[in-house]
Amino acid sequence: MPSCPRESFCIYSHTLAPVNDTPNPFPTTASTSQKRKLEKSNNDSNTTRSGQTTPQQQRLSKPAPLPSPSSSSSSSSTGSAKLVSASSLSKQGTRQSSTEEEAALAAKKRKLAADIAGTGSRSTTASTTGSSKITSPAVLMARPEASRKPATASKPTAPGGKLTISGPPVLKIDIRAHSKPLFRQAVATQFYNEFVRIYTPLAEEGACLATAHAVDQEKDVHSKTNQGSYRSLAASILQRLKKRPTSTGLDDVGIDGVWSDPSVKASEDQALEKIWVAAGKYVQTKDQLEENGYPVEVPVEGTPPRHNPKKECERCTKMFEVSEDLEGVDMHACKYHPMRLRNKLHNGDKIKYFPCCDALQGSTGCQEGPHVYKEDEFIDLHHHIPFIETPKECLGSKKPHSIVAMDCEMCYTTGGFELIRISVVDKLGKVIMDELVKPGHPVLDMNSRFSGITSLEDAQLDLEQARRKFLELINRDTIIVGQSLENDFKVLRLVHTRVIDTAMLYPHPQAYLNYRYSLQKLAKMHLSINIQESETGHDSFEDAKTCLDLVRIKMEKDAT
């Protein structure tokens, strides 16, 4: 085959394929300039794709030396040499392509490792900013990234398990908000700056509170305003925060509207002390207590009990025989309505119905359970567990309280109505006792709809221990405030006659028919507040404090 005069740069015919002595029956018609353009475009694309020029491209881009006349005249003798050269180049190309594939695979592995390392670093950074469980909605709004689960096993927390998240809050964008997100963010930042100043003496815990309270304060402003009044209320609260002194302790914290000045609170406590001095004249007499079912004296020893094996069920009003060993049938013997009868108008007529299922009066109960009862006879109660009278001297070493408010929670057991919780506050509303009590008989109904108690696993005291702890706080002269406390004294097996019962303090117009106002009704009528609205049961401390407020309001009105 004759030598090509363009062999030095014609790579398609001479360098990538072995030389064959047989002439090509289909010679190419492409011109040399077209080949050069194609060669250039291929080289540019390869360079762009890989980011660098391969050794083969560098080798091919160099101009080969012009062939000598002797080599052109002896082309037939060099055919075998060209075949060896082409085969070696083919092997080098294959080896080079495998090297490029390995390099690409290594690059992918390096990128994947870098991504994993970046994720780990972000998780590690997040793990140093908060605890592993975000329980405060305010903190979660302030630090949305804190909700991400870190790659590490745990997050550091402050002593006591408190959150260590602090810093300027970052509000979530709410599309339902009436104000612009940037303006709300600016308001929250201004609140944060003031809370940081106020909580400076509290160190790290103050910094965390500043973040949470800034979010809570902005949220409170937003909930009370519209687009037109948001700015003015935020400005007013900001001015009050600027005038607020630095905190003196963890009991001197709170957002505007919740926080109260300790100096003012101290003066209010002193005023309350003066008001409660006159509480003695509101104590009910023994006759009033006895008429309303209070135990006023301990039954005489030796009095035979009036034990009746048959009792009336508190829920379905049917008579049943009391037994502590209940069978499977006994657990479904009572069909009752869990809610009391109410009145409503139907076609102009007043009818009574059960709100639990909208069934009319006299219908079969919508729920099933065992029969339960409540013992009211003092003799029978005293026969099971004896009553005691409040001692003259306090059983504890501390000075007895002059006035306390009490609320007890009870449940139904095979032995009747028993105590499961006792909560006591002093005359200023501070909690001085809160204990779960283990009943002496198997529980049939925890009465959770009213008591709010679903488990007694944490109960440590029995009835006698709980009663003794209560008697360490009071003596015979202590005034006990509460709503319908006759049931509380019965389950406590306690005789105490210094009582202010709010149900008797605010009598019902039809009290002669044994009607009474509920504590919820009295709070709405005289305090303009709503209580006992939780679906999980009553708050015993809320009930006790409400009784204190009702007595205080009564004394203040009578004093004016």
Side-chain angles (χ1 to χ4, degrees):
M1 179 178 177
S3 175
C4 178
R6 299 181 180 86
E7 184 180 3
S8 60
F9 53 84
C10 185
I11 63 174
Y12 295 100
S13 304
H14 303 276
T15 60
L16 296 181
V19 178
N20 193 353
D21 293 338
T22 305
N24 187 3
F26 305 102
T28 180
T29 58
S31 62
T32 305
S33 61
Q34 291 176 343
K35 293 181 179 179
R36 290 178 179 176
K37 291 180 180 179
L38 182 60
E39 169 70 14
K40 183 177 180 181
S41 63
N42 289 337
N43 290 340
D44 292 342
S45 63
N46 291 335
T47 304
T48 305
R49 188 182 302 111
S50 61
Q52 57 184 356
T53 306
T54 61
Q56 182 181 357
Q57 293 173 346
Q58 294 177 359
R59 191 166 53 251
L60 295 178
S61 63
K62 294 181 180 180
L66 293 175
S68 60
S70 60
S71 63
S72 62
S73 61
S74 60
S75 59
S76 60
S77 63
T78 60
S80 60
K82 290 181 180 180
L83 179 61
V84 173
S85 176
S87 62
S88 63
L89 286 176
S90 178
K91 292 180 180 179
Q92 292 178 2
T94 304
R95 189 183 304 111
Q96 183 65 29
S97 62
S98 63
T99 305
E100 291 177 358
E101 291 177 356
E102 293 176 358
L105 184 59
K108 289 182 180 179
K109 291 182 178 180
R110 288 194 299 272
K111 184 178 179 181
L112 181 60
D115 292 342
I116 295 175
T119 304
S121 62
R122 289 193 298 270
S123 300
T124 303
T125 304
S127 67
T128 60
T129 59
S131 84
S132 59
K133 183 182 287 187
I134 304 301
T135 56
S136 173
V139 174
L140 191 57
M141 283 183 68
R143 286 290 180 272
E145 65 273 11
S147 62
R148 301 172 184 167
K149 292 185 179 180
T152 54
S154 60
K155 293 183 179 181
T157 56
K162 298 181 180 179
L163 292 172
T164 58
I165 296 178
S166 60
V170 179
L171 300 183
K172 284 186 176 181
I173 296 177
D174 186 1
I175 60 175
R176 298 170 296 179
H178 54 66
S179 299
K180 295 181 178 179
L182 290 179
F183 186 62
R184 292 187 64 191
Q185 180 63 52
V187 170
T189 303
Q190 292 292 327
F191 288 157
Y192 168 75
N193 293 334
E194 293 304 320
F195 279 119
V196 167
R197 177 190 62 81
I198 295 170
Y199 297 153
T200 299
L202 303 182
E204 295 182 0
E205 194 164 359
C208 300
L209 286 173
T211 301
H213 286 183
V215 176
D216 292 342
Q217 188 73 75
E218 194 283 330
K219 186 177 179 180
D220 182 68
V221 173
H222 186 271
S223 64
K224 294 179 179 178
T225 58
N226 53 31
Q227 188 175 5
S229 59
Y230 177 82
R231 182 188 294 270
S232 60
L233 182 59
S236 300
I237 290 178
L238 184 61
Q239 291 300 321
R240 289 198 291 268
L241 289 177
K242 289 182 177 180
K243 296 178 182 179
R244 182 167 153 182
T246 57
S247 176
T248 57
L250 291 177
D251 57 345
D252 186 17
V253 298
I255 63 174
D256 186 81
V258 176
W259 172 82
S260 58
D261 193 342
S263 59
V264 176
K265 190 174 181 180
S267 61
E268 291 177 352
D269 292 346
Q270 293 177 359
L272 283 176
E273 291 281 356
K274 295 180 180 179
I275 293 175
W276 285 110
V277 171
K281 65 181 182 179
Y282 293 92
V283 174
Q284 277 89 27
T285 63
K286 281 189 176 182
D287 293 338
Q288 289 177 318
L289 294 177
E290 190 173 8
E291 289 176 2
N292 285 271
Y294 279 81
V296 294
E297 59 183 11
V298 178
V300 180
E301 291 294 336
T303 305
R306 304 172 185 176
H307 180 66
N308 185 1
K310 289 189 176 182
K311 300 292 182 180
E312 181 181 343
C313 180
E314 286 285 310
R315 300 190 290 202
C316 67
T317 68
K318 291 183 178 181
M319 299 299 294
F320 72 101
E321 188 171 349
V322 177
S323 175
E324 293 192 6
D325 298 327
L326 300 181
E327 299 178 355
V329 179
D330 298 329
M331 299 303 294
H332 303 280
C334 179
K335 293 178 174 57
Y336 65 97
H337 293 283
M339 302 185 71
R340 296 178 180 177
L341 282 171
R342 292 183 183 178
N343 296 324
K344 70 176 181 179
L345 291 177
H346 181 70
N347 296 331
D349 297 329
K350 183 182 292 187
I351 62 174
K352 293 185 177 182
Y353 75 104
F354 292 100
C356 52
C357 60
D358 287 336
L360 298 179
Q361 183 181 13
S363 62
T364 305
C366 58
Q367 293 189 12
E368 295 181 351
H371 288 300
V372 295
Y373 74 100
K374 180 177 68 173
E375 185 63 76
D376 288 326
E377 291 292 338
F378 300 141
I379 301 299
D380 291 343
L381 289 172
H382 182 68
H383 178 72
H384 291 297
I385 302 176
F387 278 87
I388 65 171
E389 189 175 4
T390 308
K392 293 182 179 180
E393 300 296 333
C394 178
L395 298 182
S397 58
K398 296 182 180 179
K399 182 180 178 181
H401 293 267
S402 58
I403 299 174
V404 297
M406 179 183 68
D407 185 60
C408 294
E409 304 294 346
M410 285 76 77
C411 73
Y412 290 109
T413 69
T414 56
F417 215 36
E418 296 194 43
L419 177 70
I420 56 175
R421 183 181 181 183
I422 176 172
S423 303
V424 186
V425 298
D426 63 8
K427 57 186 173 184
L428 301 179
K430 297 180 181 178
V431 179
I432 56 177
M433 180 179 177
D434 182 29
E435 291 290 342
L436 291 176
V437 183
K438 295 180 290 186
H441 297 82
V443 177
L444 297 178
D445 186 356
M446 197 72 75
N447 215 14
S448 300
R449 190 167 67 91
F450 299 104
S451 66
I453 300 173
T454 58
S455 174
L456 295 175
E457 293 181 356
D458 298 331
Q460 302 294 330
L461 307 179
D462 57 18
L463 174 61
E464 186 176 355
Q465 293 170 335
R467 182 174 61 186
R468 178 176 178 83
K469 186 173 182 179
F470 177 55
L471 294 178
E472 291 177 356
L473 305 173
I474 65 171
N475 62 5
R476 190 172 297 178
D477 296 327
T478 301
I479 298 175
I480 301 179
V481 179
Q483 171 83 4
S484 301
L485 292 177
E486 69 274 9
N487 291 322
D488 301 50
F489 288 148
K490 287 178 183 178
V491 296
L492 275 172
R493 300 297 197 272
L494 183 65
V495 175
H496 189 89
T497 56
R498 297 273 290 172
V499 177
I500 301 179
D501 191 333
T502 52
M504 288 187 277
L505 190 65
Y506 296 92
H508 194 279
Q510 296 180 343
Y512 61 91
L513 296 177
N514 203 23
Y515 284 117
R516 298 182 183 183
Y517 283 123
S518 66
L519 184 61
Q520 186 181 34
K521 183 69 174 179
L522 291 175
K524 185 67 175 178
M525 291 171 56
H526 301 281
L527 302 177
S528 300
I529 60 174
N530 296 319
I531 64 171
Q532 299 178 353
E533 292 188 331
S534 175
E535 296 181 357
T536 58
H538 299 175
D539 185 349
S540 56
F541 292 120
E542 182 183 46
D543 293 352
K545 292 177 182 179
T546 302
C547 292
L548 283 175
D549 292 336
L550 288 171
V551 176
R552 177 178 55 82
I553 290 294
K554 179 69 174 177
M555 292 189 297
E556 289 177 350
K557 287 182 178 180
D558 293 347
T560 56

